[in-house]
mmCIF file of all heavy atoms in Angstrom:
data_model
loop_
_atom_site.group_PDB
_atom_site.id
_atom_site.type_symbol
_atom_site.label_atom_id
_atom_site.label_comp_id
_atom_site.label_asym_id
_atom_site.label_seq_id
_atom_site.Cartn_x
_atom_site.Cartn_y
_atom_site.Cartn_z
ATOM 1 N N ILE P 211 35.589 -19.743 -11.629
ATOM 2 C CA ILE P 211 35.040 -18.530 -12.174
ATOM 3 C C ILE P 211 36.198 -17.629 -12.651
ATOM 4 O O ILE P 211 36.136 -17.035 -13.704
ATOM 5 C CB ILE P 211 34.195 -17.737 -11.090
ATOM 6 C CG1 ILE P 211 32.990 -18.572 -10.783
ATOM 7 C CG2 ILE P 211 33.841 -16.369 -11.622
ATOM 8 C CD1 ILE P 211 32.014 -17.896 -9.806
ATOM 9 N N THR P 219 38.422 -12.909 -21.066
ATOM 10 C CA THR P 219 39.063 -11.638 -21.320
ATOM 11 C C THR P 219 40.168 -11.769 -22.367
ATOM 12 O O THR P 219 40.269 -10.960 -23.290
ATOM 13 C CB THR P 219 39.720 -11.116 -19.995
ATOM 14 O OG1 THR P 219 38.812 -11.342 -18.941
ATOM 15 C CG2 THR P 219 39.983 -9.624 -20.122
ATOM 16 N N SER P 259 34.238 9.540 -70.184
ATOM 17 C CA SER P 259 34.249 8.057 -69.806
ATOM 18 C C SER P 259 35.587 7.567 -70.144
ATOM 19 O O SER P 259 36.497 8.279 -70.508
ATOM 20 C CB SER P 259 33.120 7.337 -70.563
ATOM 21 O OG SER P 259 33.334 7.429 -71.934
ATOM 22 N N SER P 285 23.966 33.139 -40.523
ATOM 23 C CA SER P 285 24.411 33.604 -41.769
ATOM 24 C C SER P 285 24.939 32.434 -42.530
ATOM 25 O O SER P 285 25.217 31.355 -42.002
ATOM 26 C CB SER P 285 25.501 34.651 -41.609
ATOM 27 O OG SER P 285 26.598 34.106 -40.910
ATOM 28 N N CYS P 296 42.701 28.734 -49.017
ATOM 29 C CA CYS P 296 41.249 28.762 -48.953
ATOM 30 C C CYS P 296 40.779 30.005 -48.226
ATOM 31 O O CYS P 296 41.532 30.525 -47.364
ATOM 32 C CB CYS P 296 40.694 27.589 -48.135
ATOM 33 S SG CYS P 296 40.931 26.032 -48.983
ATOM 34 N N ARG P 341 27.771 24.872 -38.971
ATOM 35 C CA ARG P 341 27.138 23.610 -39.266
ATOM 36 C C ARG P 341 27.288 23.422 -40.755
ATOM 37 O O ARG P 341 26.956 24.274 -41.569
ATOM 38 C CB ARG P 341 25.634 23.694 -38.879
ATOM 39 C CG ARG P 341 24.807 22.483 -39.294
ATOM 40 C CD ARG P 341 23.407 22.526 -38.759
ATOM 41 N NE ARG P 341 22.633 23.671 -39.150
ATOM 42 C CZ ARG P 341 21.930 23.762 -40.276
ATOM 43 N NH1 ARG P 341 21.941 22.768 -41.100
ATOM 44 N NH2 ARG P 341 21.243 24.859 -40.555
ATOM 45 N N ILE P 374 23.580 13.065 -57.518
ATOM 46 C CA ILE P 374 24.524 14.144 -57.934
ATOM 47 C C ILE P 374 23.946 14.677 -59.230
ATOM 48 O O ILE P 374 23.672 13.912 -60.163
ATOM 49 C CB ILE P 374 25.903 13.638 -58.125
ATOM 50 C CG1 ILE P 374 26.498 13.060 -56.839
ATOM 51 C CG2 ILE P 374 26.800 14.757 -58.593
ATOM 52 C CD1 ILE P 374 27.934 12.711 -56.907
ATOM 53 N N LEU P 386 21.954 13.566 -64.436
ATOM 54 C CA LEU P 386 21.470 13.203 -63.093
ATOM 55 C C LEU P 386 22.004 11.767 -62.804
ATOM 56 O O LEU P 386 21.862 10.898 -63.666
ATOM 57 C CB LEU P 386 19.959 13.253 -63.013
ATOM 58 C CG LEU P 386 19.266 12.531 -61.888
ATOM 59 C CD1 LEU P 386 19.501 13.178 -60.599
ATOM 60 C CD2 LEU P 386 17.765 12.434 -62.187
ATOM 61 N N HIS P 391 19.751 4.725 -52.973
ATOM 62 C CA HIS P 391 18.308 4.798 -52.712
ATOM 63 C C HIS P 391 17.858 3.474 -52.126
ATOM 64 O O HIS P 391 18.586 2.510 -52.156
ATOM 65 C CB HIS P 391 17.548 5.010 -54.068
ATOM 66 C CG HIS P 391 17.599 3.802 -54.943
ATOM 67 N ND1 HIS P 391 16.590 2.841 -54.910
ATOM 68 C CD2 HIS P 391 18.442 3.372 -55.878
ATOM 69 C CE1 HIS P 391 16.847 1.912 -55.836
ATOM 70 N NE2 HIS P 391 17.995 2.186 -56.394
ATOM 71 N N TYR P 405 16.020 5.336 -68.952
ATOM 72 C CA TYR P 405 14.807 5.896 -69.549
ATOM 73 C C TYR P 405 14.091 6.817 -68.490
ATOM 74 O O TYR P 405 13.107 7.512 -68.862
ATOM 75 C CB TYR P 405 13.850 4.837 -70.082
ATOM 76 C CG TYR P 405 13.201 3.978 -69.062
ATOM 77 C CD1 TYR P 405 12.072 4.344 -68.379
ATOM 78 C CD2 TYR P 405 13.715 2.717 -68.807
ATOM 79 C CE1 TYR P 405 11.436 3.510 -67.507
ATOM 80 C CE2 TYR P 405 13.105 1.871 -67.876
ATOM 81 C CZ TYR P 405 11.991 2.251 -67.256
ATOM 82 O OH TYR P 405 11.358 1.394 -66.337
ATOM 83 N N GLY P 441 21.636 0.912 -78.876
ATOM 84 C CA GLY P 441 21.873 0.887 -80.333
ATOM 85 C C GLY P 441 20.535 1.070 -81.151
ATOM 86 O O GLY P 441 19.456 1.122 -80.593
ATOM 87 N N VAL P 481 18.191 22.445 -57.814
ATOM 88 C CA VAL P 481 18.675 23.415 -58.803
ATOM 89 C C VAL P 481 18.215 24.853 -58.450
ATOM 90 O O VAL P 481 18.976 25.776 -58.590
ATOM 91 C CB VAL P 481 18.093 23.018 -60.171
ATOM 92 C CG1 VAL P 481 18.534 24.007 -61.258
ATOM 93 C CG2 VAL P 481 18.649 21.646 -60.592
#
Side-chain angles (χ1 to χ4, degrees):
Chain P
I211 296 185
T219 321
S259 61
S285 60
C296 292
R341 174 173 60 86
I374 297 188
L386 161 69
H391 73 91
Y405 69 84
V481 178

